[in-house]
Amino acid sequence: MDNIFQKLTEDNFSDLAGLTVDASIPVPEHIVNEIIESALRGNKNIKDCRVSISGQNKVSVNLKSPLWLWPINLKLKLEKSVDIIGSPMIRASLENHALLGQLGSLLKALPNGINIHGNQVVVDVRSLLETSEQRNMLDFVKSIEIRTEQAKLIFDVKIKIEE
């Protein structure tokens, strides 16, 4: 099976031309936190980061950093649509501590791919992926919408392999 999948990826899935997929992908909060933990591994500016997901696209982020004495609780509102032009960008409005967020961005405390501009937090999805195969698969994504439920992110994704 690995050989077949490797051949498909090497040929850029051309054997599956015409494939379309509409998927709803629920991602539990604990998996979101595991992904964040993995992305932060080796980052000396953030000791701990825990995300709590609520309904109505609200997310709370608890950060601990050696650059700041106290834990920081950021409140975010995720935008529903993901910008997929180029690299997919997840955007959120920072609803509190905008000054601290900007300071963290200036001090390069945030991991690569996560930036704060004004009260906007922008996550470059492609930069968080580890392998070129994972990054190449993003080329087939035509749209992504985000919604939340208690303790769950839900991605509504449309994928198409052109003929």
Side-chain angles (χ1 to χ4, degrees):
M1 194 63 145
D2 286 341
N3 291 340
I4 294 169
F5 190 72
Q6 184 175 358
K7 182 182 179 297
L8 286 170
T9 56
E10 286 172 358
D11 293 338
N12 210 23
F13 294 94
S14 62
D15 288 336
L16 300 178
L19 171 88
T20 59
V21 176
D22 289 324
S24 183
I25 306 168
V27 183
E29 187 173 273
H30 72 90
I31 292 178
V32 171
N33 283 309
E34 287 176 27
I35 292 168
I36 291 169
E37 183 181 324
S38 176
L40 290 176
R41 200 166 285 129
N43 183 313
K44 296 182 183 356
N45 295 322
I46 299 176
K47 287 194 297 190
D48 188 44
C49 179
R50 290 282 163 233
V51 170
S52 298
I53 302 167
S54 303
Q56 300 176 347
N57 281 23
K58 302 271 186 166
V59 176
S60 294
V61 180
N62 289 305
L63 285 173
K64 292 181 184 172
S65 172
L67 302 173
W68 192 256
L69 295 175
W70 302 276
I72 302 166
N73 182 277
L74 302 174
K75 300 207 179 291
L76 303 170
K77 173 131 174 119
L78 297 171
E79 288 186 11
K80 185 176 180 179
S81 293
V82 174
D83 180 2
I84 62 166
I85 307 290
S87 180
M89 300 287 183
I90 297 173
R91 298 181 191 282
S93 298
L94 190 57
E95 296 186 332
N96 68 342
H97 297 304
L99 183 59
L100 275 178
Q102 291 173 349
L103 182 61
S105 188
L106 286 173
L107 295 173
K108 303 291 185 204
L110 301 173
N112 287 338
I114 300 175
N115 295 296
I116 297 177
H117 307 288
N119 72 337
Q120 281 280 305
V121 177
V122 180
V123 178
D124 178 351
V125 175
R126 192 176 300 270
S127 71
L128 300 177
L129 300 177
E130 295 180 359
T131 67
S132 60
E133 290 85 8
Q134 291 170 343
R135 290 185 289 274
N136 290 340
M137 289 182 152
L138 287 178
D139 295 336
F140 304 118
V141 176
K142 301 306 174 195
S143 70
I144 305 171
E145 302 241 328
I146 299 174
R147 55 193 167 93
T148 63
E149 294 176 0
Q150 190 64 37
K152 191 182 301 182
L153 274 176
I154 302 166
F155 296 94
D156 294 319
V157 181
K158 293 185 187 292
I159 299 169
K160 182 169 178 62
I161 299 178
E162 301 295 334
E163 291 189 50

